[in-house]
Structure formats: structure tokens, C-alpha cells
Amino acid sequence: MKSIKAEEFFKLVALHSGVNDIQSVRDVYYGMIRTISRELKTKQVVFLPDWGEFALKIHKGRRIFNVNDKSIIIIPAKATVRFSPDIAVKKYFHAFG
């Protein structure tokens, strides 16, 4: 399954929101992305009304033992972003099967 290109995405958002200026839609979208990124860095959780929650999860670094050559491998800490959809979104997409 292929995703749509960025320009097509902005055109569709403009169409569905009733905004005629695609540049305004693009500016709001990237402003929203910057806001979500900054809030994830500072608070580790961002809730989008009627959509769901983004959470930044920091996984601790760890050491594992490699049984093949009997060495210790150090896996560094890493951050991942998790998304938990709102219950209404879950119900909506559950209908698709």
C-alpha cells in the first residue's frame, strides 16, 4: 500500500478543512509538528484531542552477552515514540476489519 505525496496530502487537508490556501495548511501542519516535537522533548507526552496520545519512551542502555564469541555487547539507550489512539479512533478503524 502506497502513501500519498506531501503536496497531495496538503491539498486534501485544504479541501476537507475548507481552507483555500494550501500554503496556510502547510504552515499550520509544520507548526503542529514542531509543537508536538518540543512537547515530547519537555513533557514526554502529547495528547491530540479526538485523535490520541504520543508518548516518548526512553529505553535504558543495556549489556548483553554474545554466546558466539563470549563477548559483551553494549546496547546504548534509545528513545522511541509511541502512539495510542483515542477510543473513538479505535472504534472507527475497527469497523474496517
Side-chain angles (χ1 to χ4, degrees):
M1 185 180 326
K2 257 186 149 177
S3 180
I4 60 175
K5 302 264 189 243
E7 284 306 309
E8 184 66 22
F9 174 77
F10 293 127
K11 286 179 186 175
L12 288 171
V13 171
L15 176 71
H16 294 295
S17 64
V19 176
N20 294 329
D21 183 20
I22 295 176
Q23 184 60 40
S24 295
V25 171
R26 187 181 293 112
D27 292 343
V28 169
Y29 173 78
Y30 286 116
M32 194 170 91
I33 295 300
R34 282 190 297 275
T35 301
I36 290 170
S37 298
R38 289 178 182 154
E39 289 298 307
L40 280 174
K41 282 182 182 177
T42 58
K43 297 180 182 167
Q44 281 80 40
V45 176
V46 176
F47 178 74
L48 299 180
D50 300 325
W51 191 242
E53 180 179 88
F54 288 94
L56 182 67
K57 171 86 170 143
I58 309 294
H59 299 276
K60 290 181 179 180
R62 57 193 172 111
R63 297 167 19 143
I64 60 172
F65 183 72
N66 184 350
V67 294
N68 293 331
D69 62 2
K70 303 198 181 354
S71 65
I72 294 185
I73 300 171
I74 298 173
I75 299 176
K78 69 176 186 174
T80 58
V81 177
R82 301 268 176 157
F83 175 71
S84 299
D86 189 57
I87 189 71
V89 172
K90 285 182 182 180
K91 287 180 182 178
Y92 176 78
F93 286 107
H94 184 70
F96 293 121

